[in-house]
Amino acid sequence: METYLRMADLPYQNYFGGKLSAQGKMPWIEYNHEKVSGTEFIIDFLEEKLGVNLNKHLGPHERAVSRAVTKMVEEHFYWTLAYCQWVDNLNETRKMLSLSGGGPFSNLLRWVVCHITKGIVKREMHGHGIGRFSEEEIYMLMEKDMRSLAGLLGDKKYIMGPKLSTLDATVFGHLAQAMWTLPGTRPERLIKGELINLAMYCERIRRKFWPEWHHDDDNTIYESEESSEGSKTHTPLLDFSFYSRTETFEDEGAENSFSRTPDTDFTGHSLFDSDVDMDDYTDHEQCK
């Protein structure tokens, strides 16, 4: 379920439910009886009211790039994830869906909700245009978006550099679905295989902002696409000792492949830790 925030000064509360804003949108907030809907308008509103700006360190060019990538994620990548979640992977989604008040009819209720949602997603995807493509074409578009994000992130701590920005909130919110809610699907295999820097990025943010969040699937298989069943390395996610299948960095892979990225910097710190100084790491690499 999507959420809205009801805020009276602070602290705020999350209300999980199906209630929509006056514009029929999610998410939306209510702050001191003033309602605002739409992520972009909510961010602008809170920046003005609370004096907090996660993008103050960004220059004009970086702000433009951030907005362009945000719209790619929200208006394009989002729909490919929705297709995977509610159309192609509907049975697994139904198993994970939690509904209150269903009683003995909870299984039937989940089935009904999932199939109604599937119809809505397919209709809206058709209106958007992306739903008019074949399944393979939709997944091809998804992969291009994910590779673009992986290439933009590179070995940086966050998408726009060493400091967090609102773009990271957007990107994490979408990539987290591929990481933890789409088991066995193509986006999950991609993020935990070839585009491993995106998995490290998600884990870095999860540990920094939700240290109490533990997932049932923390013992995850990380693999590259060329790995055979017998060569897959079973590595606990918390260790991240998975960056090389051959334990060598001499064999360069594809341009946007990060399956051989080392998991520590020159000081021995783990690169998915939230306190890694990426500037020091970059300067050290350039001096090699």
Side-chain angles (χ1 to χ4, degrees):
M1 287 289 182
E2 301 256 18
T3 92
Y4 70 92
L5 306 181
R6 178 173 292 164
M7 311 172 76
D9 292 322
L10 285 178
Y12 64 83
Q13 291 178 291
N14 283 331
Y15 289 80
F16 295 88
K19 187 177 181 181
L20 301 176
S21 69
Q23 294 85 3
K25 297 282 289 182
M26 280 283 192
W28 63 279
I29 67 170
E30 182 178 343
Y31 180 85
N32 290 343
H33 307 293
E34 188 173 356
K35 297 178 181 179
V36 184
S37 66
T39 304
E40 191 167 351
F41 294 115
I42 290 172
I43 292 173
D44 291 343
F45 176 83
L46 293 178
E47 286 180 353
E48 179 183 350
K49 292 293 184 180
L50 304 179
V52 177
N53 188 342
L54 293 179
N55 297 327
K56 61 184 179 181
H57 62 286
L58 301 179
H61 175 76
E62 292 171 316
R63 288 173 183 263
V65 171
S66 176
R67 178 171 171 79
V69 177
T70 296
K71 294 309 164 186
M72 179 195 78
V73 172
E74 291 182 340
E75 307 297 341
H76 192 266
F77 183 48
Y78 164 83
W79 290 109
T80 65
L81 287 171
Y83 177 85
C84 184
Q85 184 93 67
W86 293 104
V87 180
D88 191 34
N89 202 44
L90 187 64
N91 288 333
E92 289 298 321
T93 299
R94 181 165 56 88
K95 295 176 186 177
M96 293 185 289
L97 187 63
S98 177
L99 296 175
S100 61
F105 301 102
S106 58
N107 288 335
L108 176 61
L109 185 59
R110 277 198 297 268
W111 188 93
V112 172
V113 168
C114 283
H115 281 78
I116 290 176
T117 305
K118 175 182 178 179
I120 293 173
V121 168
K122 291 184 70 175
R123 185 185 70 229
E124 293 189 352
M125 287 184 68
H126 187 82
H128 176 280
I130 196 172
R132 303 175 191 228
F133 296 114
S134 68
E135 176 180 308
E136 187 60 33
E137 289 170 329
I138 291 173
Y139 277 116
M140 185 182 301
L141 294 173
M142 171 189 281
E143 183 172 334
K144 286 183 177 181
D145 287 345
M146 292 181 70
R147 289 186 182 279
S148 296
L149 291 173
L152 183 60
L153 175 62
D155 62 358
K156 299 193 300 294
K157 187 175 181 180
Y158 299 115
I159 298 292
M160 299 305 296
K163 294 184 179 180
L164 195 81
S165 69
T166 54
L167 176 58
D168 295 293
T170 300
V171 173
F172 175 80
H174 289 76
L175 289 180
Q177 298 178 59
M179 275 285 288
W180 294 296
T181 71
L182 296 172
T185 61
R186 292 169 67 168
E188 188 205 44
R189 293 196 299 270
L190 191 60
I191 196 173
K192 294 179 179 178
E194 187 177 352
L195 305 182
I196 201 66
N197 69 326
L198 294 181
M200 296 170 74
Y201 167 79
C202 287
E203 187 63 25
R204 183 182 307 128
I205 293 178
R206 181 176 84 154
R207 292 182 181 208
K208 181 175 179 63
F209 295 99
W210 293 277
E212 74 288 353
W213 172 14
H214 298 286
H215 193 267
D216 294 337
D217 193 31
D218 273 346
N219 290 331
T220 307
I221 299 176
Y222 286 85
E223 62 185 79
S224 57
E225 290 185 351
E226 66 271 14
S227 300
S228 64
E229 286 296 322
S231 65
K232 291 178 182 177
T233 301
H234 296 253
T235 305
L237 185 61
L238 300 181
D239 289 338
F240 274 102
S241 302
F242 47 71
Y243 55 85
S244 176
R245 289 289 164 272
T246 60
E247 298 183 358
T248 179
F249 296 97
E250 295 176 359
D251 185 18
E252 294 295 330
E255 181 177 349
N256 287 331
S257 172
F258 294 90
S259 59
R260 293 182 176 84
T261 302
D263 67 338
T264 56
D265 67 1
F266 68 99
T267 67
H269 288 101
S270 173
L271 289 181
F272 62 80
D273 284 347
S274 60
D275 58 351
V276 172
D277 191 335
M278 296 304 293
D279 289 335
D280 290 345
Y281 175 76
T282 303
D283 292 342
H284 175 78
E285 290 297 304
Q286 291 174 348
C287 292
K288 281 186 175 180

